[in-house]
Amino acid sequence: PASFDRISQFADVRDEDSLFPVLVECRVHKSPAEIDLLRYTNWISSMAHVEVMRSTKPGMMEYQLESLFQHHTYTHGGCRHMSYTCICACGPSANILHYGHAGRPNSRLLASSDMALLDMGSEYHCYASDITCSYPVSGTFTEDQRAVYESVLAAQVSVINELKPGVSWVDMHREAERQILKGLIKCGVLTIGDDCGEGYAEKVIEEMLDVDLGAIFMPHGMGHLIGIDTHDVGGYAMGTPERSGRPGLAKLRTARDVEEGMVLTVEPGCYFIDPLLDMALSNDKQKKFVNSERLGDFRGFGGVRLEDDLRITADGCENLTLCPRAAEEVLNVMKGGAWPPEKDVMPELKRAWADCKKGKMKMLDIKS
């Protein structure tokens, strides 16, 4: 706390406890002016992601993708700063969740077999954006790449469609894990046995969650509060639920119930991280669900993450991020297709379409 000469004379009237929690809640619940800033920084960052997506080719360096993003947000959006160090993780680089730091400075050569995982967001007037896109460097999904991508997209859609005031953020994390495990069963990495009775698969997925198998493939939290800071304050404020000690859940940056006015990231991911995979295969409670032979096909794959920024409304949510998400959207943009699109093929993502002309944001009416 601040100090000055003879401060001790005011000991009987000093209050070092009241202001901080009030300021925290002011940052947790965004004003209309703050939403305008967050909408803008999401718009320019989304358009920059699109430009990088169009430019990505085998033989480029990861840092070139970072440079393209920074150039677009500064030249076309006036964003001098990034919200955080850009993560341009291609191929196995995506196994490092916060890749791009000084020890791993986005310095890998892109190969045609890589999935690119690009986590980049610009900052404008101190307000952050936090957006992740994943797509095949070659411009075409392989069957396995598509399977993992669709699993993560299903998790994102499911969470977005459940988000509203009153729901538990812990439950949202579990729902993301549930959808990713379902996708891994579909592509053969996980197995549920031979019983095909009604409801059996759902029962086995709950058993997988009970033994923390979801945390093997998604070892980070499903999202966080965002605003003046990328990982904004208030996640574990006084009087809110405490952090869980369980794998996966322990990485959540908040365990609060969702409230109107919050802005949160929704960022499910699926990764194939060798030390975690080896842990699962040595754990009797987890390994019984794993098809180790099929799992071998994904070692070295890296990972997929999709991340959007969501404003919580009175009865649901509004997606401030405007990136291509459906596989056909991604591939069309990579081939030079127009963006924003003429038609919204995934209205369930609740993207609040907008554009900026001559410094003024304008909402767009893009029909599904």
Side-chain angles (χ1 to χ4, degrees):
S3 182
F4 55 89
D5 290 344
R6 297 186 297 279
I7 192 173
S8 59
Q9 297 178 14
F10 303 93
D12 58 332
V13 294
R14 283 171 61 191
D15 181 354
E16 298 178 357
D17 301 319
S18 297
L19 183 59
F20 181 77
V22 173
L23 290 177
V24 165
E25 290 308 301
C26 285
R27 285 178 61 167
V28 167
H29 302 92
K30 304 300 188 289
S31 70
E34 289 178 300
I35 295 299
D36 287 344
L37 279 168
L38 289 166
R39 191 183 305 280
Y40 177 78
T41 191
N42 265 268
W43 169 77
I44 189 60
S45 294
S46 296
M47 297 307 108
H49 269 285
V50 167
E51 287 305 306
V52 175
M53 197 177 290
R54 287 187 178 124
S55 302
T56 300
K57 298 289 187 298
M60 295 178 70
M61 300 297 292
E62 291 168 330
Y63 60 74
Q64 291 179 285
L65 308 182
E66 176 182 14
S67 176
L68 287 168
F69 183 88
Q70 293 172 331
H71 170 75
H72 188 94
T73 55
Y74 200 176
T75 300
H76 300 286
C79 299
R80 186 176 188 185
H81 301 293
M82 296 294 102
S83 302
Y84 49 92
T85 302
C86 292
I87 300 169
C88 297
C90 297
S93 299
N95 284 340
I96 302 170
L97 296 183
H98 284 105
Y99 184 80
H101 55 75
R104 298 276 186 158
N106 295 327
S107 57
R108 185 176 177 276
L109 185 74
L110 276 62
S112 60
S113 59
D114 288 347
M115 279 290 290
L117 186 161
L118 305 185
D119 187 338
M120 303 183 288
S122 64
E123 174 188 302
Y124 189 73
H125 282 255
C126 299
Y127 280 81
S129 58
D130 191 355
I131 299 171
T132 307
C133 294
S134 297
Y135 47 88
V137 169
S138 68
T140 304
F141 285 101
T142 67
E143 186 175 346
D144 286 345
Q145 288 173 341
R146 181 75 175 256
V148 177
Y149 184 88
E150 295 288 0
S151 299
V152 175
L153 182 59
Q156 190 182 49
V157 168
S158 185
V159 170
I160 287 173
N161 280 274
E162 290 192 24
L163 265 185
K164 61 182 179 180
V167 303
S168 163
W169 196 243
V170 173
D171 290 346
M172 295 298 93
H173 178 93
R174 282 301 197 203
E175 177 58 20
E177 287 185 323
R178 191 174 287 113
Q179 294 299 324
I180 289 166
L181 293 173
K182 188 181 295 185
L184 292 173
I185 292 168
K186 188 175 181 180
C187 69
V189 171
L190 301 179
T191 179
I192 61 172
D194 298 326
D195 192 326
C196 297
E198 184 177 353
Y200 179 73
E202 288 75 12
K203 177 176 178 293
V204 175
I205 289 172
E206 295 307 311
E207 292 174 5
M208 292 177 179
L209 292 174
D210 288 342
V211 299
D212 301 314
L213 191 58
I216 296 295
F217 297 98
M218 191 176 83
H220 60 73
M222 202 275 303
H224 52 82
L225 294 160
I226 185 170
I228 293 176
D229 200 358
T230 306
H231 299 143
D232 215 355
V233 299
Y236 290 100
M238 187 181 302
T240 64
E242 295 183 359
R243 186 187 297 269
S244 170
R246 293 186 63 175
L249 295 178
K251 301 297 184 181
L252 278 172
R253 296 182 183 271
T254 186
R256 296 176 68 148
D257 288 349
V258 173
E259 299 172 16
E260 183 180 0
M262 287 180 169
V263 178
L264 298 127
T265 69
V266 173
E267 51 179 301
C270 181
Y271 316 85
F272 299 89
I273 303 171
D274 283 340
L276 296 182
L277 301 179
D278 294 339
M279 284 174 54
L281 292 174
S282 64
N283 182 319
D284 289 338
K285 293 181 179 179
Q286 294 178 340
K287 70 180 183 182
K288 65 181 181 179
F289 299 114
V290 181
N291 180 344
S292 57
E293 183 177 352
R294 178 69 173 128
L295 179 62
D297 295 336
F298 290 87
R299 287 187 182 265
F301 178 99
V304 168
R305 180 165 65 251
L306 298 173
E307 180 178 15
D308 291 352
D309 300 351
L310 279 295
R311 176 176 78 96
I312 307 303
T313 63
D315 57 358
C317 63
E318 175 190 43
N319 194 340
L320 303 177
T321 302
L322 306 175
C323 288
R325 289 293 181 235
E328 58 265 37
E329 290 178 335
V330 170
L331 298 181
N332 184 57
V333 163
M334 294 190 76
K335 292 173 182 175
W339 194 263
E342 294 182 0
K343 180 181 179 181
D344 185 353
V345 299
M346 290 198 75
E348 60 268 36
L349 284 171
K350 302 185 180 181
R351 290 173 288 197
W353 298 103
D355 198 4
C356 185
K357 299 294 185 184
K358 296 182 179 180
K360 293 188 177 181
M361 293 296 296
K362 177 183 178 182
M363 303 307 295
L364 301 178
D365 184 18
I366 298 180
K367 304 293 186 182
S368 58

